């Protein structure tokens, strides 16, 4: 799928049906990833830099949200990065 706003490409997401009404997301904006959406999922596009993973963990901890799965992918050191975080709890709107 490709997502546009005002004719500008925002994001490309690739996935597959794996049967039984289930899906798996396998690529977002060129980053190979795998998640099913069975958990509450946060997808963060950012620059690769020190402290991002710690900040995500601390922010979720402040709202007592447990991380079920987490993956970080980057194109190069200091370059574009994508972090996928799946949580055991729903994320409050004000978090």
């Amino acid at each position: 799928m490709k997502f546009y706003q005002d004719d500008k490409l925002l994001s490309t997401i690739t996935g597959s049906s794996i049967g039984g009404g289930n899906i798996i997301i396998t690529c977002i904006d060129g980053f190979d990833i795998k998640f099913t959406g069975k958990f509450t999922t946060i997808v963060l596009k950012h620059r690769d830099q020190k402290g991002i993973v710690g900040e995500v963990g601390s922010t979720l901890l402040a709202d007592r949200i447990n991380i079920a799965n987490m993956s970080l992918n980057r194109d190069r050191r200091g370059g574009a990065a994508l972090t996928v975080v799946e949580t055991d709890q729903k994320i409050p709107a004000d978090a």
Side-chain angles (χ1 to χ4, degrees):
M1 298 180 109
K2 293 182 179 184
F3 296 89
Y4 292 88
Q5 182 177 4
D6 300 326
D7 294 329
K8 179 182 176 191
L9 180 64
L10 298 177
S11 190
T12 302
I13 300 174
T14 304
S16 301
S17 171
I18 56 175
N22 298 304
I23 63 156
I24 187 165
I25 303 300
T26 56
C27 185
I28 297 179
D29 297 335
F31 290 97
D32 293 329
I33 48 109
K34 287 188 180 173
F35 68 93
T36 62
K38 289 184 179 181
F39 294 93
T40 298
T41 305
I42 303 166
V43 178
L44 304 167
K45 291 172 66 173
H46 56 91
R47 284 265 154 229
D48 177 46
Q49 62 186 31
K50 297 174 188 171
I52 295 289
V53 171
E55 186 68 28
V56 169
S58 295
T59 300
L60 293 173
L61 175 63
D63 285 310
R64 306 199 44 81
I65 296 167
N66 190 54
I67 296 172
N69 299 297
M70 184 175 194
S71 67
L72 174 100
N73 296 285
R74 65 183 187 184
D75 63 357
R76 66 184 187 289
R77 182 181 292 176
L82 184 91
T83 299
V84 176
V85 182
E86 296 178 294
T87 66
D88 289 327
Q89 295 83 19
K90 292 185 179 183
I91 308 296
D94 62 345

